[in-house]
Amino acid sequence: MDMNWADLTTFKIVAEELSFTRAAGRLMVSVSAVSQRVRRLERSLGQRLLTRTTTHVELTEAGELARESIASIEEQWSRTQARIQGLEESLPELARPLRTALYRLAPCDLQKPLATIAAPGASELRHYRSVALGLDQLRRGEVDFLWWRTWHRPHTEHGEDLRELHTHEVVTEDAWAYLGGRHPLAGSPGLSLEQLADFAWVAPPEESAAAVPRQLSEVTGQAKEFVHYPESQELAHELLRTSTAVSLGGPSEPLPAGLHRLPLSSAVQIRYMLSWRHHPAVEQLAPVVLDLYRRWYVERTSVCNPHHHRRMVTDPKTYPGLPVTGYYPSAPRAMAHGAAA
């Protein structure tokens, strides 16, 4: 039987998550695609690997054996990679400084961690106002990595063109409600979209947020639209401070002065992504950059929103691949990093 790495990887992630839905989110494919791959693997082996009900997923005896075998294959391949990388013949190097591009992430927050990847003068940082432009520049070889984020509904696939690129999901976070300190709901422990229905909405000033009203309407069954479309984040914050308008944002962002941020149920989500181009030197650096991105996200969240960070620590399975435990003294247990795509 020929090995199908996509099927093996899919089964491995389902076995880790014990959930087809969460596995689909990590793989950025539909739940039906995950089911098809697992069924195809089961047919090729002639054994049922999973016991599935409407509420839970369990490994069969054959499934446990398959999971252990896949882990053994990965471990052997890791040792082989280390031996190959230790050979004298080196990979092609970049003919210019390493270029990392950002979208909706502040360059000042990332200059210090990015400096650990390459020596001073051997790396450059760029910022794009459009994800599409950043991905296009990545395909053209103008930049090597793109750190970006996008808004989406739970369990939906992204709409960006990722052809000819490597892309890995770093983390998905629920959107939180942002409102002014004098807002009548500012003292609430948490909010629902229904509680915000009668207030004006301020659009997050980023291109992927244009789809948010439609996503909110699909979630609530009620028509939603933004009333204010500020050109900058600063204008959006000023509108919130001086009115009863509300907006959405991530829980890991710095909280501007005069604003409150509250957990929001039944909302859209924000997905943080890392994409990189096909080049041997870039692909060799990808695991390092991916780990750097994850650690930067956890560190920033611990500073900007300790409440959300505590949620991450107490429920690490919701944040697969993030070093949310074993990284801070309060961590209850260690969690392994996920592999780069």
Side-chain angles (χ1 to χ4, degrees):
M1 181 192 73
D2 292 334
M3 285 194 300
N4 186 316
W5 285 106
D7 293 351
L8 294 175
T9 301
T10 299
F11 169 74
K12 173 201 163 192
I13 293 176
V14 173
E16 291 173 350
E17 297 290 344
L18 293 180
S19 166
F20 280 70
T21 300
R22 290 194 295 271
R26 285 179 60 180
L27 291 164
M28 293 183 291
V29 299
S30 65
V31 175
S32 62
V34 172
S35 297
Q36 290 172 6
R37 293 177 186 178
V38 172
R39 285 198 299 268
R40 185 165 57 209
L41 181 60
E42 288 178 327
R43 286 196 301 269
S44 68
L45 295 172
Q47 292 284 344
R48 185 177 293 277
L49 303 178
L50 299 167
T51 300
R52 287 157 279 190
T53 69
T54 56
T55 58
H56 69 281
V57 176
E58 292 182 354
L59 291 171
T60 64
E61 183 180 355
E64 287 284 2
L65 180 59
R67 182 186 62 80
E68 293 172 2
S69 297
I70 293 171
S72 176
I73 292 171
E74 288 186 330
E75 183 180 355
Q76 184 175 355
W77 176 241
S78 295
R79 290 196 298 267
T80 302
Q81 280 183 307
R83 292 178 60 188
I84 292 174
Q85 291 166 359
L87 297 177
E88 292 185 1
E89 184 179 357
S90 60
L91 293 171
E93 296 183 356
L94 293 172
R96 54 161 176 72
L98 180 73
R99 291 175 181 166
T100 303
L102 311 172
Y103 169 75
R104 298 303 303 171
L105 299 170
C108 59
D109 293 343
L110 294 164
Q111 283 177 334
K112 185 176 180 180
L114 285 172
T116 64
I117 300 175
S123 64
E124 298 176 359
L125 195 61
R126 297 187 177 186
H127 191 274
Y128 292 114
R129 296 179 61 88
S130 163
V131 174
L133 176 59
L135 293 173
D136 181 65
Q137 293 293 293
L138 202 58
R139 265 187 293 272
R140 294 172 180 268
E142 293 297 319
V143 294
D144 304 306
F145 292 94
L146 176 66
W147 298 28
W148 55 286
R149 74 179 200 177
T150 183
W151 294 75
H152 71 114
R153 276 193 61 196
H155 316 314
T156 58
E157 299 184 37
H158 54 76
E160 287 75 18
D161 182 6
L162 303 178
R163 293 173 300 167
E164 304 172 17
L165 298 173
H166 298 287
T167 298
H168 193 98
E169 178 183 336
V170 177
V171 64
T172 294
E173 58 184 21
D174 293 326
W176 284 35
Y178 280 65
L179 34 82
R182 297 182 180 179
H183 196 284
L185 298 177
S188 304
L191 296 172
S192 66
L193 290 175
E194 288 72 19
Q195 290 176 275
L196 304 177
D198 296 331
F199 298 97
W201 284 74
V202 177
E206 52 188 284
E207 60 178 9
S208 60
V212 172
R214 183 187 73 253
Q215 296 165 349
L216 292 175
S217 300
E218 292 173 355
V219 171
T220 63
Q222 302 174 356
K224 299 284 183 182
E225 63 180 32
F226 290 132
V227 177
H228 305 287
Y229 285 85
E231 295 182 357
S232 69
Q233 196 71 61
E234 290 73 21
L235 286 175
H237 295 160
E238 189 62 26
L239 277 169
L240 295 175
R241 292 189 193 98
T242 57
S243 70
T244 59
V246 297
S247 188
L248 298 178
S252 61
E253 302 171 14
L255 182 64
L259 297 187
H260 283 239
R261 171 173 53 201
L262 300 171
L264 186 61
S265 62
S266 303
V268 296
Q269 296 179 319
I270 303 170
R271 180 179 287 170
Y272 285 78
M273 313 290 288
L274 174 68
S275 296
W276 60 94
R277 69 186 182 99
H278 289 284
H279 186 284
V282 175
E283 291 166 351
Q284 188 178 35
L285 273 175
V288 177
V289 178
L290 181 60
D291 183 66
L292 177 66
Y293 197 167
R294 287 168 169 157
R295 291 180 178 276
W296 167 82
Y297 177 88
V298 173
E299 284 185 344
R300 187 176 76 157
T301 303
S302 70
V303 173
C304 297
N305 193 339
H307 172 65
H308 181 59
H309 180 255
R310 285 193 295 271
R311 292 175 61 184
M312 294 168 62
V313 171
T314 56
D315 187 19
K317 287 186 177 180
T318 305
Y319 306 91
L322 287 185
V324 297
T325 59
Y327 195 61
Y328 295 94
S330 59
R333 63 184 179 83
M335 182 178 181
H337 299 306

